[in-house]
Structure formats: C-alpha cells, structure tokens
Amino acid sequence: MSRFIKLLVLALFLISLPAEANAPWGFFAHRRINELAVYTLPTPLFSFYKEHIDFIKEHAVDPDKRRYGVKGEAERHYIDIDHYYKYDTTGRVHANPFNLMPRKWVDAVEKYTEDTLRAYGIVPWHIPMYKDRLTRAFEQQDVAKILRYSAELGHYIADAHVPLHTTENYNGQMTNQKGIHGFWESRIPELYEDNWDFFVGKARYVENPLDISWAIVEASHAGVDSVLRFERELNEQFPQDAKYSYEERGRVLTKVYSEEYSKAYYDMLDGQQERRMRASVIMVGSVWYSAWVDAGQPNLVLSQEIDLEEAEKAIQEELNVESKPELKKREHE
C-alpha cells in the first residue's frame, strides 16, 4: 500500500483532540498547578487545603467547561493586549500597550468602553475580583465557597501565565500557524512535565492583586514573539513529513505534533513552558494565602468535616448547560 493511501486511511479515523488535551494549559496541567500550589501554603492553611486537595484539583477546570454555555465566561481567560497597540502609517508599532491601558477597571472603561474591554479579554481585572470573593468566603468560613473560588481562581491565574492568552494572534491564525496554542500549552507539557522542577518555595503575601495581575500579563506577553517566531523558523527548517505523527488516544488515532518536532521547539524555547508553569504554581498559592490573611487568618480546622455533596451538585447543574453557538469562542478551544 502506498504511503499516500496509508495516510488517507489513517485520516479517516482521525477526530479532534479530546477536550482534556485541547483546553488551555490542558486539563491535566490546570489540575496539576492547583495541586502543586497547595504545597506552597504555610502549615495552618496547608492542612485545610490538603484535606480537600481532590476537590481543588478536580474543579480547576470548571471555568473551561463553562465557556461554551455561560455568557461572559470566555473573556475571563485572556486579554488581547496587543489590540491596543498604536500604529503609524508604515504599520510599525510605536507605543507600548501596557503604557496605553489604564490599570483600574473604571479608568479603562472610560477610555475604551466596557464592550471593547470585554471583546478583547478581561483576565487582569477578573483575578483581583475573584480574589476578593475568596477573601469574603474566608471571612464567612464558608468552606464550599472557599474551595470553589480557590479552584477557579487558580485556573484564571494559570491562564494569565500563558503568552498566547495575551495576543489577538492567540492560535497563530494571523501568521499561518494554526494549532500553535494547543502545541505550546498542551502538547509540550504532556511530553515533558514529568521532568520539570516544581520546588518553587513558599507562598508569599500579595500586597496588590491588581498590580500582580498586570505584571503576570506583561511577563506573559513578553514571550509572544519567541513563541511564534521560533515555531515559524522551525517549520521552515523541519522536514514536513516529520512534523506530525499519529498517536492512539483511547480507541482512535489522532494527529499530533511529532515528538521530534516537539523536542526541537521545546529546546528552542529553552524551558519556557516550565518557567511559566512554575510561576503559575507559586502565584496561585500566594493569592490563596493572601485572601486568607486579608480575611484575618480564620481557623478552618473545625470546618474540614463539611459535606460537600450539595456544593458538588450545584456545580454540576451549572456545568450541564447546553453549548450556545452564539457565545464568543476561540478556535484553539
């Protein structure tokens, strides 16, 4: 059988990547980030989170599950900050978007309108808002809300650490690099995460969550050029018949970036995904810790026996909404 026929036969069995492998950071990575963040916490808080670590891990992916059926959810995961660049007549950038964008929500709305901000993402404002929710939950010693807000806050913080969550060219669709989003944040961690160093130290108090959120986004955006440029250069150099391979996932064959191509890209980025994931872990733990401190460091030991069955039921009812085609989505999702 000719090589063409073999590939054609394989293609007939191919389906899209499973949701777990195709979601931002990959579902497994979001769960892993939340799990590792628990181990950054000081002893009084660590005991509580460790008791409920399965909940924290499992519900790390709830925000992704809501994107398709809950209005306003998708915009909470990113900000296309480069939309706010200014260009001269030659098309050259001559202004830094971080100098153009007001940090405070009310000031940004006044300058750009709320509709514009939501159209291009609101993650740096959503993180401190969610941190405030967690603080109030700690004050009320509402364990169900503490756990839910902690799990979901970890998701948004992790998403802000992804370079492609800070650009309009989020999936390489503007540069003929479609698929790069899942390649960077799912395929590479899938292959190499087991060898990464996650000894990131202890959580620290975050004085101003809004400033920290913007610092995260700015650091992520600084990596956009290398994420796109290196893959473009590699694509030009690499034998095209070796760029992809087929792996069995469940009972189906799936087209994926080959291990050789992935290794070459990973080496070019010099561990960028590991650095961003490590930064995610310590920041998630630090924001959890800061919410607890701001709430007066309540004693949660006596609350550990709470029955979370009702909380789980409410969450599942919320997630079991029908997908709404009219809601804004991203191609990589």
Side-chain angles (χ1 to χ4, degrees), residues 70 79 84 109 125 191-192 247 255 297 329:
V70 177
I79 180 170
Y84 302 97
V109 168
W125 296 289
L191 291 172
Y192 300 108
E247 293 183 357
K255 184 178 180 181
Q297 303 183 33
K329 301 181 179 68

Side-chain angles (χ1 to χ4, degrees), residues 135-294:
T135 300
R136 290 194 295 272
F138 273 123
E139 291 172 343
Q140 298 162 4
Q141 297 195 41
D142 187 328
V143 173
K145 287 184 178 179
I146 290 170
L147 296 176
R148 180 174 184 178
Y149 294 156
S150 294
E152 296 185 359
L153 180 57
H155 183 105
Y156 298 122
I157 292 171
D159 274 355
H161 281 81
V162 177
L164 291 170
H165 278 237
T166 70
T167 175
E168 286 187 286
N169 193 22
Y170 53 85
N171 196 27
Q173 75 279 7
M174 296 177 176
T175 49
N176 195 31
Q177 293 174 278
K178 283 189 176 183
I180 193 172
H181 201 128
F183 184 30
W184 188 96
E185 66 184 8
S186 291
R187 180 60 169 163
I188 297 297
E190 176 185 71
L191 291 172
Y192 300 108
E193 187 264 351
D194 284 346
N195 297 318
W196 292 350
D197 176 10
F198 288 115
F199 289 97
V200 297
K202 290 296 182 182
R204 58 187 182 276
Y205 181 73
V206 173
E207 186 74 33
N208 189 320
L210 181 62
D211 287 347
I212 288 295
S213 294
W214 278 106
I216 293 169
V217 169
E218 190 161 1
S220 295
H221 190 65
V224 170
D225 177 69
S226 57
V227 168
L228 294 168
R229 179 167 50 86
F230 288 167
E231 197 280 331
R232 190 162 53 245
E233 293 174 358
L234 181 62
N235 181 64
E236 293 174 354
Q237 304 165 4
F238 210 84
Q240 289 303 295
D241 61 354
K243 181 175 179 178
Y244 299 102
S245 62
Y246 299 91
E247 293 183 357
E248 189 172 329
R249 294 175 181 262
R251 297 183 178 181
V252 298
L253 289 172
T254 303
K255 184 178 180 181
V256 296
Y257 288 91
S258 70
E259 292 191 20
E260 294 78 11
Y261 193 81
S262 300
K263 178 65 164 58
Y265 184 52
Y266 179 61
D267 288 345
M268 292 176 77
L269 288 172
D270 193 26
Q272 184 188 63
Q273 289 93 335
E274 179 182 3
R275 293 192 298 275
R276 298 312 290 158
M277 195 166 170
R278 282 171 52 88
S280 298
V281 170
I282 189 62
M283 188 54 63
V284 170
S286 294
V287 177
W288 290 345
Y289 170 66
S290 302
W292 177 69
V293 170
D294 289 345

Side-chain angles (χ1 to χ4, degrees), residues 85-99:
Y85 276 115
K86 300 295 184 181
Y87 294 87
D88 60 24
T89 55
T90 65
R92 292 176 299 185
V93 175
H94 64 86
N96 184 332
F98 294 98
N99 294 334

Side-chain angles (χ1 to χ4, degrees), residues 25-39:
W25 259 130
F27 276 17
F28 92 92
H30 274 300
R31 291 185 176 114
R32 185 77 169 128
I33 288 168
N34 272 11
E35 176 187 18
L36 292 165
V38 170
Y39 294 94

Side-chain angles (χ1 to χ4, degrees), residues 25-81:
W25 259 130
F27 276 17
F28 92 92
H30 274 300
R31 291 185 176 114
R32 185 77 169 128
I33 288 168
N34 272 11
E35 176 187 18
L36 292 165
V38 170
Y39 294 94
T40 70
L41 298 171
T43 301
L45 203 54
F46 169 75
S47 298
F48 170 76
Y49 275 85
K50 183 64 168 63
E51 181 74 17
H52 299 292
I53 197 168
D54 289 339
F55 186 103
I56 293 291
K57 288 167 56 179
E58 182 61 30
H59 293 285
V61 298
D62 287 355
D64 275 339
K65 294 178 181 179
R66 288 199 301 263
R67 288 174 303 163
Y68 303 102
V70 177
K71 184 178 180 180
E73 177 60 48
E75 65 212 38
R76 301 169 183 169
H77 299 246
Y78 64 90
I79 180 170
D80 296 337
I81 191 66

